[in-house]
Amino acid sequence: MRQKSTGEFIQFLSSKGFHLTDDDIAFIYFGKQYTGACDELVNVAIETTLKIQVRFDGSYYIALLEALEQSGAQNSYEAKRFIQNKELVTNT
């Protein structure tokens, strides 16, 4: 299965009823550029932020994205494993 780009993931979320504001989307791309994270890690950070915060929280998202980058996660599997090991969510 092909991994969605961040743009495709945002469109997918919108189709499921999770509408992000233009400011949220701009911040998502800022965080991606700031950390140098790949789309897979960005998408996991967005998904986890929405699951935990029940809305998009920019500070939580950027902190999580930085943690994922520092953990050395290279793909969504490793990112989700890191999140589970940190007990941020029980099932990502």
Side-chain angles (χ1 to χ4, degrees):
M1 184 173 138
R2 184 179 77 80
Q3 185 66 30
K4 289 179 169 73
S5 70
T6 297
E8 291 170 332
F9 187 66
I10 291 168
Q11 288 176 343
F12 169 76
L13 290 173
S14 181
S15 76
K16 297 298 180 188
F18 293 99
H19 299 288
L20 299 167
T21 68
D22 289 342
D23 288 342
D24 293 341
I25 293 168
F27 195 80
I28 287 168
Y29 283 103
F30 165 78
K32 180 180 179 188
Q33 184 176 12
Y34 175 73
T35 61
C38 68
D39 284 352
E40 284 187 72
L41 296 186
V42 171
N43 295 353
V44 170
I46 295 167
E47 178 183 8
T48 303
T49 299
L50 292 173
K51 281 182 178 179
I52 293 174
Q53 301 295 326
V54 192
R55 63 177 179 80
F56 184 77
D57 178 332
S59 61
Y60 187 88
Y61 159 78
I62 199 81
L64 180 57
L65 195 54
E66 287 177 320
L68 290 173
E69 275 294 306
Q70 290 174 358
S71 77
Q74 297 291 312
N75 56 47
S76 60
Y77 173 80
E78 291 174 359
K80 289 178 181 184
R81 193 173 74 208
F82 170 80
I83 290 166
Q84 285 180 333
N85 288 341
K86 293 294 183 184
E87 298 180 352
L88 298 176
V89 293
T90 55
N91 189 13
T92 55

